[in-house]
Structures are given as C-alpha cells and as structure tokens.
C-alpha cells in the first residue's frame, strides 16, 4: 500500500495525536460571541460579527455564472440579509416557520438563506434538479409556508398540492402572476429587523436526504452546527487569513451548505461560487482567476478535469492552489496519482454525510495519507466499526461504520419521523451510518460501500425507493427494483430492473420514455441510465425489495 508522508510546514492542526488526546469541542465554544453574551445566531457569527470587528469591506463571495460576475463584501451581505429578513417579516414569517429555497446558485440564494436564518426561520434547501414529485414530498412534509425560486423553476412547484404554502418569492424578472417579486420587495424595504437571537438547538435548516426506503427524510440541523464547522474549517480545510476557498458542491446538498459558505464564513474567508453546468475548462479558469488556494471537490469532478488532459491544465496558472480536498465518493488511486503528478500535491479525502453535518473521518496535512483510506476520526470524534448487534469489531473486520453519538453538528431529528431518527441510534452509544468500513491497526478507516442500497451517483445521493415508486407510476411498469451499478466515471449509476405489464414490449424507445418519466417527474440525477427487464423483482419476507439480491444482480453475481 502506498503511503504519502505528512506534509512539512505550518498547518493549523500541527499534531494529530496530541489533539486527539487534549481537544474537546467545548474549547471551540469559547470562540463564539455567544460564549460571552449568551445570544446565539449562526448568521451573526458568519457575517455580522466580521462587520462589527472591522471586516465589513472584506470580500465574502465571488460569484460567477455566465455573464454575471459579482463580488459581495461581508458588509453588503449583512445589509442584504437584513433586508430579506424584513421582507419575510412583512409577509408574516416568524421564527420556526419553514422557507424552501429552490433555485440555481446565485447571490440571492445565499442572501435568502442568511436572511431567513437571521430571523430564526428554518431553511429547506431544494436541489435545482428536483421536479414536481420530489418538491411535493419535501415541501409538503415540512409544511413550508413560503418558497424562494426563479421564474424558470416556478412552473415545477405543484402549488395545488401544497396547502400550507402561502407565498412564492421569485428572483429575477418575469415574476408570474400570484408570485411575489423578490427584487421588488427588497427595494421597498426601509427598515430592517434586529438579529433574532435563538437557542443553540434552534433549527437552522432541514435537508432532505434519501434513505434506502420510503421518501426522503428531513434531517434537522440546528444553529449549534457552527461548533463543528468552525473547527473543521480550520483543521481539516486548513483555512487561514488570505485564503480563497472554493467548494464546488451545490447548496442543495450538505457539502454546499456546510462548507460551501457557512464554515469558511465563520472564519471570515472569502468563497468562490460558480454557477452553470460543469465544464473542465471553465473550472480551471475559475481556479486561476480567483487564485483559489483551498479547493474542496469530488472525485467525479477531478476525473472530468483529468479527462480534459494535461494540455488543459498547462494553460492555467494554478500556483495558488495549496490544499485540495475531496468528498462524496471513493477517492481512487488514479485520481490521487494525477493530482500528485499534475497539481504537485496530494488530495485529502474527507468522509461524512448529511446526517453528521460536519467532516467526521479525514486526512490531515500533519499525518501520512494511506492511499485508499478515508483517514482518521476528527479529534473529539470517536468512530468504530461495529457488527449488526452494535458490538465493536477488531481491526481488519468489515462492519458498520459507526460514530459515538453526541457530536456538535449532529442532526437533531428527522422531521415528522421520530422512528426513523431512532433507527440511526438503535445500537447505543453508536450512530449507525449505513456505510460499511474496516479499520487498520493504526486506526485508519477504509470505506467499503453503502450497506443499505442508497445510491451514490457522481456524489449525489439517490434513494432507490423513490425511483422505484416513480417508475411504477408508469403504465408499462408492473414492478421496479433500483440499485447502484459501479461505474468508472460516476462511481455508480442508477440501474433499474423492471417487470413489464402485460401488453408492453421492451424497446429503446420505451427505455428513453421511462428515463424521461423519472427525469421530469422526480429529478434528472435520479433517472436510470440502464434498464434490464426481469420476470420478477426479489422481495424480502415482509414484501420489500430485497436490496441484497439487486446488489448481486448489478455486480453480475449469481447471474441467472
Ligand atoms: C458529504 C456527503 C453521504 C454518503 C456516505 C458515503 C458517501 C461521503 C465519502 C463517501 C467514499 C468518501 N461518501 N464521503 N464515500 N469516500 N470520502 O456526501 O453527504 O450526500 O449525505 O452522502 O456519501 O456513502 O454515506 P451525503
């Protein structure tokens, strides 16, 4: 096994072993203003505080998308967020109400998030690829009273099926009849409300994440998430004054929320946000143009840049890049070798999930990287590999990757579904992640795939049951079973096994139609890339799809 030695030089985290022994999260709490004042709001710590301490003219956000290029200082963000809080207040939104944010990356998205949280309103981020059904499930489940969107996405909102939804704020021109103009309302604000102080346990956002069965679950994160974000931004991402940080994840997913803006802003570090579709050339141009020094991305993106060839990289000055991190899917040897050879540095893998809220098992600059390992638990975090009864397994044995419950950024509930929440904690004191892993003698962890059938395509989480129920709405489909099939570029692709209804025959046209059906009904990234017709779908004793057999099917095991 290849080992990449610890990097020499000054790092924020200097000695991992010592930090493991001495560090506790309470020491981080002392860094927040609320430690002294008792007044809590993450927006104050991420934005207002920097302004009050004289950093109002520092850039917080470099935004670029197509023709649009804008810079926002912390001062400007503070002002705009306060105005949006005033708009929400005018429309009667109060602390604890839920506000959906369903739009492509734009400054207005971040302003809406901050403005809501400033008022104690709970944000429900919705990935821009979601279609009517996914939106109905999520907005309906949390009873959102308002949504921020764009005129392009507005028609996807199934308004008639969302009785609790009272207002839709539309960003940009062409505000549809019945909707509220976001910009117009912002321009009318004359007075802004003060920061709403909340408890540390007050909900900040509800993020819907797919599980193995049923509908997506609303993971509730609270303002206290800041404790985990600040210290990982410093020790894992190694952020310090002068850095320009680019996390490429979309704010519809946990990475794009936690590290896309909250974590770096807690340290007053400017972030780059790039809109539009992925394009290897544009991404290299962005790294060079903004002199990105710390870059957080995913293996699929690295592979796409890799396939652009050395010639692409050689045209850009990437000399400012000093720390690269990866998340979401296994970081393969080929990507690591490419980075070492072409970017002159390793990539630091980080393992965590929507439920954990913060980086959990990571690689650090002061520690050797063992190729193929997701690294070591963050100081203050205890991780283990446990069997199906919750008993700890020795090194080398594959089992459930588990985390000792009670870390600061932990999700606090599954909205409307306490039983689902309890299920994660069924083996006290452990949180059971759903991932398989083993540990070596030195305590390094090795990710071994999902245990529960959740699909990870290009780092995006897809719930097989949601895709199955969508497919089964189509008249041609009697029964569907969906699984992730290993794929060189995307990690996994969505593969659907289907049983046809009488009178239907299989054809490429039907495959295309089913694909489109999922794409337009649920979400583009959830649409199966491969289909296979079967006589029947394997079921477990209690009538659920047997994910273990599907897994064998996609891997081509026991092919019958
Ligand atoms: C942060 C995020 C979580 C699932 C997780 C695991 C996979 C995350 C990984 C990784 C291999 C890594 N995952 N980090 N797999 N190596 N470094 O992605 O959250 O969208 O909830 O997905 O992603 O399977 O369980 P989320």
């Amino acid at each position: 096994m290849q080992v990449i030695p610890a990097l020499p030089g000054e790092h924020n985290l200097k000695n991992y072993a010592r930090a493991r022994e001495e560090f506790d999260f309470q020491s981080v709490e002392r860094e927040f203003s609320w430690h002294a004042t008792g007044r809590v709001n993450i927006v104050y710590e991420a934005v207002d505080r920097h302004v009050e301490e004289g950093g109002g003219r520092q850039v917080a956000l470099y935004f670029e998308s197509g023709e649009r290029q804008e810079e926002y200082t912390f001062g400007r963000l503070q002002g705009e967020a306060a105005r949006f809080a005033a708009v929400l207040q005018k429309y009667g939104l109060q602390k604890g109400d839920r506000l959906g944010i369903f739009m492509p990356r734009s400054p207005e998205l971040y302003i809406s998030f901050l403005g809501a949280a400033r008022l104690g309103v709970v944000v429900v981020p919705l990935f821009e690829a979601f279609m009517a059904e996914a939106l109905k499930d999520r907005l309906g489940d949390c009873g959102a009273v308002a949504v921020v969107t764009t005129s392009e996405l507005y028609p996807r909102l199934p308004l008639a099926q969302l009785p609790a939804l009272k207002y839709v704020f539309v960003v940009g021109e062409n505000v549809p009849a019945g909707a509220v103009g976001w910009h117009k309302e912002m321009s009318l604000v004359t007075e802004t409300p003060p920061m709403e102080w909340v408890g540390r346990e007050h909900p900040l956002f509800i993020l819907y994440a797919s599980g193995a069965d049923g509908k997506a679950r609303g993971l509730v994160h609270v303002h206290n998430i800041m404790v985990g974000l600040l210290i990982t931004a410093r020790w894992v991402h190694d952020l310090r004054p002068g850095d320009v940080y680019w996390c490429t994840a979309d704010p519809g997913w946990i990475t794009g929320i936690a590290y896309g803006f909250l974590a770096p802003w807690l340290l007053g570090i400017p972030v780059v946000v790039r809109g539009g579709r992925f394009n290897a050339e544009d991404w290299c141009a962005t790294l060079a143009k903004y002199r990105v020094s710390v870059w957080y991305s995913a293996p699929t993106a690295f592979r796409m840049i890799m396939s652009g060839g050395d010639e692409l990289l050689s045209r850009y000055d990437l000399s400012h890049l000093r720390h690269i991190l990866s998340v979401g899917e296994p970081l393969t040897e080929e990507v690591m070798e490419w980075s070492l050879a072409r970017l002159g540095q390793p990539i630091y893998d980080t393992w965590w999930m929507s439920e954990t809220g913060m980086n959990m098992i990571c690689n650090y600059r002061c520690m050797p990287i063992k190729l193929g390992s997701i690294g070591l638990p963050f100081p203050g975090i205890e991780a283990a590999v446990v069997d199906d009864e919750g008993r700890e397994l020795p090194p080398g044995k594959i089992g459930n990757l588990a985390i000792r419950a009670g870390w600061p950024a932990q999700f606090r509930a599954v909205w409307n579904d306490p039983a689902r929440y309890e299920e994660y904690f069924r083996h006290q004191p452990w949180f059971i992640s759903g991932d398989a892993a083993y540990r070596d003698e030195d305590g390094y962890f090795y990710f071994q795939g999902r245990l529960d059938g959740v699909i990870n395509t290009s780092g995006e989480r897809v719930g097989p049951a949601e895709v199955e129920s969508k497919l089964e709405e189509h008249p041609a489909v009697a029964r569907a079973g969906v699984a992730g099939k290993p794929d060189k570029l995307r990690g996994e692709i969505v593969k659907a096994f289907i049983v046809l209804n009488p009178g239907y025959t299989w054809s490429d046209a039907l495959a295309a139609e089913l694909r489109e059906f999922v794409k337009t009904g649920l979400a583009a990234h959830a649409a199966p890339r491969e289909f296979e017709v079967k006589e029947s779908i394997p079921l477990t004793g209690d009538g659920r799809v047997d994910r273990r057999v599907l897994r064998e099917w996609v891997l081509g095991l026991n092919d019958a």
Side-chain angles (χ1 to χ4, degrees), residues 13 63 109 116 179 189 215 231 235 287 360 423 456 460 522 529:
L13 176 63
F63 178 76
L109 185 158
V189 173
K215 304 282 188 195
I231 191 65
W235 282 357
L287 287 168
M360 285 277 127
E423 211 179 297
N456 185 341
E460 284 165 356
L522 194 61
R529 283 180 186 268

Side-chain angles (χ1 to χ4, degrees), residues 254-255 327-330 349-355 374 435 447 450 456 459 461:
I254 190 70
T255 309
V327 65
E329 326 151 58
D349 198 8
T350 63
W351 177 91
W352 60 299
M353 52 201 301
S354 302
E355 288 83 344
I374 52 177
D435 283 1
F447 172 81
R450 287 288 302 194
N456 185 341
R461 196 162 148 175

Side-chain angles (χ1 to χ4, degrees), residues 455-474:
I455 301 163
N456 185 341
T457 180
S458 303
E460 284 165 356
R461 196 162 148 175
V462 175
E466 279 185 291
V467 184
E468 285 157 4
S469 71
K470 189 77 222 169
L471 283 167
E472 286 170 7
E473 281 173 26
H474 191 281

